[in-house]
Amino acid sequence: DAGVTQSPTHLIKTRGQQVTLRCSPKSGHDTVSWYQQALGQGPQFIFQYYEEEERQRGNFPDRFSGHQFPNYSSELNVNALLLGDSALYLCASSLAGFSSELYGYTFGSGTRLTVV
Amino acid sequence: ILNVEQSPQSLHVQEGDSTNFTCSFPSSNFYALHWYRWETAKSPEALFVMTLNGDEKKKGRISATLNTKEGYSYLYIKGSQPEDSATYLCADSGGAGSYQLTFGKGTKLSVIP
């Protein structure tokens, strides 16, 4: 049973560039959340997508945007990259309704973004 | 408490020792408390989701308790093994209708063989 897959695993970008990170949820899941983990911090909620729409957003600027496709996979886009965007980006999936309250979220292993 | 806080930040224990660590969270508007285990270079793995005051959950040698009135949860590991070495994260799920997890910074456990 494939869990959450994220791609790429690592990438390096230059300040000012744009980046797209991808996430495929666990089979049977329809909801995708994105988190940013900066060095020394806990993961911080960016947003959650359900039914191809952003359902809730954390405290991140508009440079962070996302998309969910009909097959439930998702992309995280970051424009005008700053050095401070260097972090591990985690994707988590769940089944809308109750599964996250009972079983928690299923996380991917993340994409390590380095901005130079 | 406004944020989710975990202590200690890190600890080293000998194989066979039992250990515990703490997660503190805002007690107002509580809905659920999640515990995750995160091994290096792997994905965070859900251990427990706790919702009721006084709740106690167990998974093998790992157990957790919850006090929603005072806003804390304890995670216990009995007879630590090297494979228990990981970062343990707790997260507050916010009030009902929130889809956001607010994480602490984690407790990094190293079990020395």
Side-chain angles (χ1 to χ4, degrees):
Chain A
D1 177 23
V4 175
T5 57
Q6 293 187 243
S7 63
T9 53
H10 297 81
L11 75 165
I12 300 173
K13 288 286 188 177
T14 302
R15 190 172 48 181
Q17 285 188 315
Q18 179 263 345
V19 69
T20 297
L21 311 182
R22 295 176 176 83
C23 172
S24 292
K26 179 180 178 178
S27 177
H29 284 183
D30 58 5
T31 302
V32 173
S33 303
W34 287 93
Y35 287 82
Q36 179 197 65
Q37 189 191 30
L39 195 63
Q41 303 297 315
Q44 282 199 299
F45 177 77
I46 303 174
F47 40 54
Q48 184 182 87
Y49 274 83
Y50 171 63
E51 293 189 331
E52 302 180 46
E53 294 202 355
E54 183 183 290
R55 180 154 75 166
Q56 186 173 353
R57 188 179 184 91
N59 189 24
F60 278 81
D62 291 345
R63 298 187 297 107
F64 289 77
S65 63
H67 190 77
Q68 185 180 34
F69 299 93
N71 67 353
Y72 308 122
S73 67
S74 177
E75 289 181 349
L76 164 65
N77 301 294
V78 187
N79 293 324
L81 284 166
L82 304 173
L83 297 179
D85 295 331
S86 296
L88 180 70
Y89 289 85
L90 292 166
C91 171
S93 72
S94 60
L95 179 62
F98 64 90
S99 72
S100 58
E101 283 86 347
L102 290 176
Y103 307 114
Y105 291 84
T106 302
F107 280 83
S109 54
T111 293
R112 173 74 62 186
L113 171 65
T114 302
V115 182
V116 298
Chain B
I1 295 175
L2 299 178
N3 297 314
V4 177
E5 298 171 357
Q6 293 187 247
S7 62
Q9 277 190 322
S10 65
L11 73 163
H12 295 77
V13 302
Q14 291 291 135
E15 181 176 354
D17 286 351
S18 294
T19 187
N20 65 86
F21 19 95
T22 306
C23 172
S24 300
F25 54 88
S27 56
S28 61
N29 203 26
F30 173 81
Y31 187 72
L33 193 283
H34 294 228
W35 280 100
Y36 288 85
R37 178 174 176 276
W38 194 1
E39 289 183 71
T40 303
K42 294 190 178 179
S43 312
E45 172 198 356
L47 286 173
F48 306 113
V49 180
M50 308 179 79
T51 56
L52 299 175
N53 186 44
D55 212 2
E56 183 169 345
K57 295 204 171 183
K58 190 174 181 180
K59 189 175 186 178
R61 294 179 292 98
I62 304 177
S63 61
T65 61
L66 178 68
N67 183 321
T68 61
K69 294 184 179 179
E70 296 183 37
Y72 65 83
S73 176
Y74 293 137
L75 190 80
Y76 300 91
I77 301 178
K78 185 177 178 182
S80 302
Q81 300 297 309
E83 57 265 30
D84 296 328
S85 296
T87 295
Y88 291 83
L89 290 166
C90 70
D92 180 351
S93 71
S98 171
Y99 305 105
Q100 170 176 341
L101 290 179
T102 300
F103 282 90
K105 294 182 180 181
T107 292
K108 185 172 183 179
L109 173 66
S110 300
V111 181
I112 304 162

